[in-house]
Amino acid sequence: MNISIIGTGYVGLVTGVCLAYKGHKVFCADKQQHIIDSISRGVSPIYEQQLDSMLAHVIKNNDLKATTDLNQAVMESEITIIAVGTPYIGDQIALTYIKEAAHEVGAILKNKKDYHVVCVKSTVVPTTTDTIVLPILKQASGKELGDFGLVMNPEFLKEGEAVQDFLNPDRIIIGAIDEKSYEVFKNIYQYHFDAPIIKVNPRTAEMIKYASNSLLATLISFSNEIAAISEEAGGIDALKVMESVGLDKRFTPKVRGQLIKPDATKYLKPGRGFGGSCFPKDIKSLISFSVQRGYDPKILKSVIAVNELQIKRILCTLKKELSGIQDKTIAILGLAFKANTDDVRESQSIKLIRELKEAGTKLKCYDPAAVEKAKTELLGCDGVEFFNDYREALEGTDAAILMTDWEFITSIPFSEYVKFMKAPAVFDCCRALDHAKAKFYGVKYIGIGFRE
Ligand code: UDX
């Protein structure tokens, strides 16, 4: 099929490259010339595993064309996927870019004779596709449903694994406004992907995305609440607790003698809490959507509250363990919101750094990839030093806090903590280190959900 995509951000570009790789002809449209130039040269403007090589391949084969000419992209395609950003402003997502894209596509469809399906891929709260995008398309095109089609098709891409997630989906959700839209749109996936296609209406599709992220975040906050109770009681290892909970065969079934460990059990783990561009924003957006509709979402509010409390609890523990943190020097190991990415958006590590600064602590930060982005994020935050070598970050410190479980960090030998730190003490906020081994090397160990 010929497919045009509006927006070459994270979702749009991964979608475009993967669909081209699967044999479709793709136009990636964006207003920013420098991004289009980069894509046209086969160089990905974003960092994502496998994306560079696949982009180079589809550009070379002429299966993907990057352009600023949206008119041509829509005219020469049968489907247009809207994958523009929905920034979180105030307490809800802003639909400015979605509305703008719908206007532009609608205006182009006015002059197009053939049937055309528009797809909303950006994460939008329920009712956006049928009550906001549809009227704009009708008004801008002067046409009715049936002359054009409309679907909502959410993405489930994890940063760092986005290409594999796209190529091997668990489920393909098509929220179609009518039968004709569904029949045309499903051809994108039907013969190219091995996954169940779930046919629903647009509102249900929108809600599936929010419910999926909310449940995963709930697992994390649930684990952190169990960790907090365990800490207060003392002598309980919450990591062992949650690992054992996950071994229930309803989470981890045994198939032909083999334990099948679903990825979801990874979220049943105590840690420093969730961050990133999706979980915090999606849950908060669903909360405000729900409140506007007259339902007070108690669980979702608690998921956010527990996550925010996590930083405060880390701070309290530090104050207690170090007998105060003012004028202490602390190493922060890990700045990215999770391992294997340079993304610091909504990173718990950045939030902790701000709080520690406020409390008068000197900070020495290390991350194998996210130092530059963290510097920009923390611009104007004096007294925070950044290092590309963990040894320099550890040098002369009173404590080290493990905030991102990069292998570069979790594999640091305990002997290095002893060698470089003033007082070797590590606060494992990812529960990634072996506390018995730490003790053996003479390193004081504190862990989320672990108090001796
Ligand atoms: C998430 C969803 O997984 C994906 O399906 C959706 O499309 C976009 O949002 P992503 O934000 O890339 O993807 O990250 P994910 O790997 O799910 O982690 C989200 C947050 O939870 C991170 O801060 C991560 O560190 C944290 N997390 C994850 C934990 O704290 N513990 C875990 O065990 C797993």
Side-chain angles (χ1 to χ4, degrees):
M1 296 187 93
N2 287 1
I3 301 160
S4 48
I5 300 178
I6 306 180
T8 53
Y10 193 74
V11 172
L13 188 59
V14 170
T15 302
V17 169
C18 291
L19 289 178
Y21 190 75
K22 287 281 187 177
H24 297 294
K25 290 279 174 211
V26 176
F27 294 90
C28 278
D30 202 294
K31 288 182 175 156
Q32 300 190 60
Q33 187 67 52
H34 70 279
I35 291 181
I36 293 305
D37 292 343
S38 171
I39 298 173
S40 302
R41 286 197 310 274
V43 177
S44 169
I46 55 162
Y47 174 72
E48 184 59 44
Q49 274 186 64
Q50 290 184 281
L51 196 59
D52 259 326
S53 59
M54 280 175 59
L55 175 63
H57 175 83
V58 294
I59 289 281
K60 193 164 151 243
N61 284 3
N62 273 327
D63 289 327
L64 187 145
K65 184 174 182 265
T67 179
T68 51
D69 185 350
L70 182 60
N71 191 66
Q72 186 204 16
V74 174
M75 281 300 196
E76 293 187 17
S77 58
E78 299 142 84
I79 291 174
T80 298
I81 296 174
I82 299 176
V84 294
T86 50
Y88 183 75
I89 299 172
D91 62 354
Q92 52 197 333
I93 53 165
L95 295 176
T96 327
Y97 302 123
I98 299 267
K99 289 179 181 171
E100 217 172 273
H103 264 295
E104 287 172 22
V105 180
I108 297 168
L109 292 183
K110 193 175 206 161
N111 302 313
K112 192 175 178 192
K113 285 199 188 74
D114 300 330
Y115 182 73
H116 193 97
V117 177
V118 179
C119 161
V120 176
K121 204 174 230 333
S122 310
T123 300
V124 289
V125 292
T127 70
T128 304
T129 302
D130 64 345
T131 68
I132 292 175
V133 176
L134 179 60
I136 294 176
L137 286 172
K138 281 185 181 172
Q139 185 259 323
S141 67
K143 294 182 174 181
E144 286 302 318
L145 256 184
D147 299 330
F148 66 87
L150 180 61
V151 302
M152 200 280 152
N153 171 227
E155 50 81 18
F156 301 96
L157 309 177
K158 293 189 289 300
E159 277 192 43
E161 297 167 55
V163 169
Q164 281 310 315
D165 282 346
F166 196 99
L167 295 176
N168 306 295
D170 318 313
R171 69 294 207 198
I172 292 158
I173 309 296
I174 302 181
I177 204 126
D178 60 13
E179 195 57 32
K180 193 172 169 190
S181 307
Y182 174 75
E183 286 303 320
V184 172
F185 189 77
K186 75 168 193 260
N187 293 315
I188 286 192
Y189 295 107
Q190 200 168 24
Y191 307 108
H192 305 272
F193 294 85
D194 178 22
I197 295 183
I198 316 290
K199 184 183 162 196
V200 291
N201 63 23
R203 292 182 184 199
T204 307
E206 290 160 336
M207 188 57 123
I208 289 170
K209 167 71 191 216
Y210 280 98
S212 301
N213 277 355
S214 298
L215 176 62
L216 292 171
T218 303
L219 298 184
I220 296 172
S221 279
F222 175 81
S223 308
N224 285 335
E225 185 145 291
I226 295 295
I229 301 169
S230 303
E231 285 171 15
E232 297 307 327
I236 301 171
D237 185 349
L239 178 65
K240 288 279 171 237
V241 172
M242 293 316 298
E243 277 173 0
S244 304
V245 168
L247 281 172
D248 183 315
K249 61 175 171 295
R250 287 164 289 188
F251 289 113
T252 307
K254 202 183 247 181
V255 178
R256 275 177 241 106
Q258 288 270 329
L259 282 180
I260 308 295
K261 217 157 170 37
D263 264 2
T265 57
K266 287 186 193 157
Y267 295 76
L268 284 176
K269 186 182 175 189
R272 80 305 195 201
F274 57 80
S277 63
C278 291
F279 282 11
K281 169 184 151 194
D282 288 355
I283 295 151
K284 287 179 191 170
S285 306
L286 187 56
I287 291 171
S288 53
F289 173 76
S290 175
V291 169
Q292 280 165 18
R293 301 286 157 145
Y295 176 77
D296 183 32
K298 295 175 178 55
I299 293 178
L300 297 180
K301 281 183 171 175
S302 302
V303 169
I304 293 291
V306 169
N307 202 50
E308 286 172 357
L309 190 63
Q310 207 60 356
I311 296 300
K312 304 249 175 296
R313 289 188 58 84
I314 293 173
L315 216 56
C316 265
T317 306
L318 275 171
K319 281 182 186 161
K320 203 165 119 204
E321 296 288 339
L322 298 180
S323 314
I325 49 175
Q326 200 177 8
D327 297 327
K328 296 272 174 12
T329 307
I330 293 182
I332 302 288
L333 304 177
L335 300 163
F337 85 95
K338 66 174 187 180
N340 305 316
T341 175
D342 63 353
D343 196 342
V344 296
R345 283 176 291 174
E346 293 289 320
S347 165
Q348 292 284 82
S349 182
I350 302 288
K351 288 180 187 159
L352 178 68
I353 290 170
R354 288 210 171 96
E355 295 277 347
L356 285 167
K357 266 317 306 159
E358 197 69 16
T361 313
K362 288 196 200 76
L363 294 163
K364 302 181 79 183
C365 308
Y366 162 75
D367 190 285
V371 161
E372 289 313 314
K373 287 200 171 157
K375 275 185 189 167
T376 312
E377 189 72 25
L378 291 163
L379 212 64
C381 204
D382 298 335
V384 184
E385 291 181 283
F386 295 91
F387 301 91
N388 292 309
D389 184 328
Y390 72 82
R391 295 173 194 88
E392 289 177 52
L394 287 178
E395 181 83 58
T397 52
D398 298 289
I401 312 177
L402 201 161
M403 287 298 283
T404 314
D405 55 353
W406 284 94
E407 214 192 312
F408 291 101
I409 295 174
T410 58
S411 63
I412 296 173
F414 285 111
S415 55
E416 299 274 84
Y417 290 98
V418 176
K419 187 170 166 191
F420 292 103
M421 293 175 72
K422 192 158 86 191
V426 62
F427 190 175
D428 182 0
C429 294
C430 300
R431 292 309 307 270
L433 305 180
D434 180 341
H435 53 83
K437 212 166 165 187
K439 201 169 180 180
F440 176 80
Y441 277 89
V443 175
K444 180 179 167 67
Y445 179 91
I446 315 149
I448 297 278
F450 179 85
R451 298 286 184 276
E452 273 188 303

